[in-house]
Amino acid sequence: MTEKKGLASVIVLNWNGKDYIGECLDSLISQSYKSIEIIVVDNASTDGSAEMIEAKYSDKVKLIRLDDNKGFAGGNNEGIRNSRGEYILLINSDAVAEYNWIESLVKSADRNPESGMFASKILQYDKRKIIDNTGHLIYADGLNRGRGRLEEDRGQYDREEEVFFASGCAAMYRREAFPFFPPFDEDFFAYGDDTDIGLLCRIYGWKCTYVPNAVVYHRYSASTSPYSKLKAFYVERNRIWIAIKYFPLSNLVVSPIYTLLRFIFQAYGAISGKGAAGRFTEEFSKIDLFIILVKAYASAFLGLPKMIEKRRMIKKISKVDAKQFRRWLKEYAISATEIALKE
């Protein structure tokens, strides 16, 4: 589609979100920034949410109904294909935006022409003084974690500044920041997609700006369990693919050492009940966790030829060298203990 200057295309991905997507859409419809189009992509929901959207919001949103669940990557790609905006915004269906969310992001884009990505201040929906995410940090094996996650919001992240990349929960991208179209890697399906698109835009030469007055309230993992087997599988498999696609060879070679260190702390977390591993083993057994890891690594291995080919494609469009990438891994680093022992 032909790009329309100044237009903000907001894409909301829905999968069985009948209980909360209405509040999300209401918050978008009432935005102070009026040059917007709202596109809802329904990933084959079975809870009547698509029918509700069609009945209640058909004059305000464009609804695209998919025949099967294409995940975060495929669903957002479908929305982007059908968008016209200069700016592409993603927001989770379980999130609610402040009235000036879009306006704040667009104004920041005017101030920061070198940035192609814009991160929101994401707070918890139920505890609105607790931070969900203020941009992402990265671990040396490809895993990521939200900056400031679960900290009390005391104003420590109230400065507009550069961050590594934005959370896909609530982010804005310039259309021109995407080197490939559609931009998301559909092999990922879900989880790690925002890392993938963040690194893709970074190596294409764009920065990411965090916009503290672009506030969104998020129900964390409302559509999926925060400690599900499926999530654990995709998170581990996709972080391997992230490293294969983007990491300089020297970092890629040593990344298993960092993974082993992380596993040691996660094993401690599983035994002591701390961190995500500890929470996971409250619902599932340690054997379940081991089986998931084996499946994740098997799936990652089977996908290696495809990821290596994508690595070659990315190298052709890269505008940064390995030295710069290594600086990013240091500047926006997160420790193994924080990855493993914090929720």
Side-chain angles (χ1 to χ4, degrees):
M1 288 188 173
T2 303
E3 175 186 314
K4 186 175 179 182
K5 294 297 253 184
L7 179 66
S9 298
V10 189
I11 298 165
V12 185
L13 195 61
N14 178 59
W15 182 68
N16 293 334
K18 188 176 181 179
D19 292 340
Y20 41 78
I21 192 171
E23 189 176 6
C24 174
L25 295 178
D26 289 340
S27 75
L28 298 175
I29 291 165
S30 61
Q31 286 289 299
S32 59
Y33 191 83
K34 298 304 181 184
S35 182
I36 67 171
E37 61 176 0
I38 303 169
I39 301 169
V40 177
V41 181
D42 182 75
N43 257 332
S45 294
T46 58
D47 67 342
S49 53
E51 291 78 8
M52 182 273 290
I53 294 165
E54 203 163 42
K56 187 175 179 181
Y57 296 98
S58 59
D59 60 331
K60 298 180 179 69
V61 309
K62 179 177 184 177
L63 176 63
I64 300 171
R65 300 182 68 167
L66 304 181
D67 294 331
D68 52 74
N69 187 348
K70 293 186 176 182
F72 182 92
N76 278 307
N77 275 347
E78 195 64 36
I80 292 169
R81 284 189 192 99
N82 287 273
S83 68
R84 299 177 296 125
E86 176 184 4
Y87 305 110
I88 306 294
L89 293 93
L90 308 182
I91 185 168
N92 281 13
S93 60
D94 56 2
V96 178
E98 286 278 13
Y99 78 100
N100 64 339
W101 176 59
I102 298 174
E103 182 180 5
S104 298
L105 293 169
V106 171
K107 284 182 176 180
S108 180
D110 292 338
R111 291 191 298 270
N112 299 282
E114 74 287 351
S115 290
M117 303 175 282
F118 300 86
S120 307
K121 176 188 270 192
I122 306 172
L123 303 173
Q124 290 192 359
Y125 180 86
D126 294 319
K127 300 176 181 178
R128 298 197 171 188
K129 293 297 290 182
I130 302 298
I131 293 169
D132 181 303
N133 190 294
T134 62
H136 273 299
L137 303 171
I138 193 164
Y139 183 58
D141 71 352
L143 273 186
N144 67 276
R145 180 180 170 86
R147 187 180 69 142
R149 175 158 169 73
L150 299 184
E151 293 179 18
E152 182 182 356
D153 181 17
R154 305 181 305 277
Q156 67 271 42
Y157 300 108
D158 279 357
R159 183 179 68 181
E160 183 171 281
E161 60 187 334
E162 184 179 353
V163 293
F164 197 23
F165 59 90
S167 167
C169 168
M172 187 178 83
Y173 305 86
R174 297 185 195 271
R175 184 182 291 269
E176 62 183 313
F178 299 140
F180 304 126
F181 199 88
F184 285 99
D185 186 339
E186 297 189 18
D187 287 320
F188 278 52
F189 188 75
Y191 300 108
D193 313 81
D194 45 10
T195 310
D196 183 62
I197 201 71
L199 290 177
L200 184 63
C201 294
R202 274 279 183 179
I203 64 101
Y204 197 47
W206 293 94
K207 295 180 179 181
C208 181
T209 296
Y210 164 66
V211 187
N213 54 341
V215 177
V216 165
Y217 305 102
H218 181 217
R219 298 175 175 90
Y220 184 67
S221 290
S223 59
T224 60
S225 169
Y227 304 105
S228 71
K229 293 181 181 181
L230 195 65
K231 181 175 180 179
F233 168 82
Y234 281 124
V235 165
E236 188 63 29
R237 186 199 67 179
N238 291 351
R239 74 94 196 153
I240 298 169
W241 285 353
I242 289 288
I244 295 294
K245 287 176 68 175
Y246 296 102
F247 277 28
L249 187 58
S250 59
N251 295 88
L252 186 59
V253 169
V254 300
S255 67
I257 298 172
Y258 290 94
T259 300
L260 177 61
L261 179 64
R262 172 170 59 85
F263 280 168
I264 291 170
F265 284 112
Q266 286 176 324
Y268 169 73
I271 295 168
S272 63
K274 294 181 179 180
R279 291 292 298 275
F280 183 91
T281 52
E282 287 177 3
E283 299 182 42
F284 307 102
S285 71
K286 297 175 182 65
I287 294 174
D288 286 330
L289 184 57
F290 176 76
I291 291 171
I292 288 165
L293 288 176
V294 171
K295 289 181 177 179
Y297 275 78
S299 180
F301 179 78
L302 290 174
L304 276 182
K306 193 179 288 187
M307 294 302 135
I308 291 170
E309 180 57 33
K310 290 177 182 180
R311 179 185 177 91
R312 293 192 186 104
M313 293 172 57
I314 289 166
K315 190 173 182 179
K316 290 179 182 177
I317 59 96
S318 178
K319 298 180 181 179
V320 300
D321 58 17
K323 188 176 181 180
Q324 175 61 64
F325 199 100
R326 283 192 286 270
R327 280 200 294 266
W328 290 337
L329 292 179
K330 289 181 180 179
E331 184 176 356
Y332 301 107
I334 190 168
S335 69
T337 53
E338 188 166 357
I339 281 281
L341 300 180
K342 289 190 176 181
E343 292 182 21

